[in-house]
Amino acid sequence: MIETTRDTKDLRRAQYLCSAHVAHQWPQDMGHEVAFAGRSNVGKSSAINAIVGQARLARTSKTPGRTQQIIFFSLDSLYRLVDLPGYGYAKVPRDLQIHWAKTVQHYFEKRSSLRGLILPIDIRRRTTAMDQQMLAWCQSQQLPVHVLLT
């Protein structure tokens, strides 16, 4: 996770790094990453913007399923935040849903710089089976997870 001794002003320096449809487009697997995962339209991008104190770093939309790639934001040369496509996937073609699921699964299984997960959950809705699976997987991998109620 991000060191607690780091000055929070560093978060305001967050910058868009890249968007990737496939693994070979990801930044080099070094340093530390905290990923944001959760159902479509739960507020992952809004949470990133709030955490870094920037209104428009991560694109937000009222339409579910707009994050269609893995999006990397750099905090500095060794620390990144990662915005993952949501599950539930809104109204997109089945082939695209399958591609996202495989890409995100590959990210979780192979990314050694992944140090923690933020899991936003809408307090107006119950946790989904996918939320429960995500929490169970994090526990099995001993990956720290923070549930963020939105």
Side-chain angles (χ1 to χ4, degrees), residues 16 26 30-31 42 44-45 53 63-64 71-72 74-75 82 84 91-92 99-100 120 124 137 139 144:
Y16 168 83
W26 297 347
M30 59 178 279
V42 73
K44 295 178 299 294
S45 299
T63 306
I71 304 171
F72 295 85
S74 65
L75 301 175
V82 182
L84 299 172
K91 295 177 183 177
V92 296
H99 169 74
W100 287 346
R124 299 170 297 177
W137 182 84
Q139 184 177 19

Side-chain angles (χ1 to χ4, degrees), residues 47-65:
I48 290 171
N49 288 340
I51 289 168
V52 301
Q54 297 183 38
R56 299 175 193 245
L57 178 65
R59 291 186 182 171
T60 61
S61 173
K62 292 190 183 290
T63 306

Side-chain angles (χ1 to χ4, degrees), residues 6-27:
R6 293 177 57 83
D7 188 342
T8 57
K9 289 185 288 189
D10 288 350
L11 295 175
R12 291 195 173 110
R13 294 185 182 151
Q15 297 178 43
Y16 168 83
L17 184 59
C18 70
S19 298
H21 284 284
V22 292
H24 75 269
Q25 297 172 330
W26 297 347

Side-chain angles (χ1 to χ4, degrees), residues 1-132:
M1 298 292 291
I2 298 173
E3 297 170 2
T4 57
T5 57
R6 293 177 57 83
D7 188 342
T8 57
K9 289 185 288 189
D10 288 350
L11 295 175
R12 291 195 173 110
R13 294 185 182 151
Q15 297 178 43
Y16 168 83
L17 184 59
C18 70
S19 298
H21 284 284
V22 292
H24 75 269
Q25 297 172 330
W26 297 347
Q28 187 174 358
D29 193 2
M30 59 178 279
H32 307 280
E33 293 175 351
V34 174
F36 288 72
R39 60 182 289 144
S40 291
N41 216 36
V42 73
K44 295 178 299 294
S45 299
S46 295
I48 290 171
N49 288 340
I51 289 168
V52 301
Q54 297 183 38
R56 299 175 193 245
L57 178 65
R59 291 186 182 171
T60 61
S61 173
K62 292 190 183 290
T63 306
R66 291 294 184 192
T67 302
Q68 298 188 1
Q69 302 171 51
I70 296 180
I71 304 171
F72 295 85
F73 302 96
S74 65
L75 301 175
D76 62 26
S77 62
L78 292 177
Y79 293 90
R80 289 177 295 279
L81 299 177
V82 182
D83 193 359
L84 299 172
Y87 41 81
Y89 306 121
K91 295 177 183 177
V92 296
R94 182 77 178 134
D95 290 348
L96 186 55
Q97 290 179 19
I98 292 167
H99 169 74
W100 287 346
K102 287 180 180 179
T103 302
V104 170
Q105 181 177 355
H106 181 75
Y107 174 82
F108 282 133
E109 292 174 353
K110 302 297 182 185
R111 195 72 175 168
S112 63
S113 56
L114 178 62
R115 296 292 191 269
L117 184 74
I118 306 284
L119 182 63
I121 295 178
D122 188 333
I123 61 170
R124 299 170 297 177
R125 293 171 173 71
R126 293 184 159 192
T127 57
T128 66
M130 296 279 298
D131 294 330
Q132 295 298 327

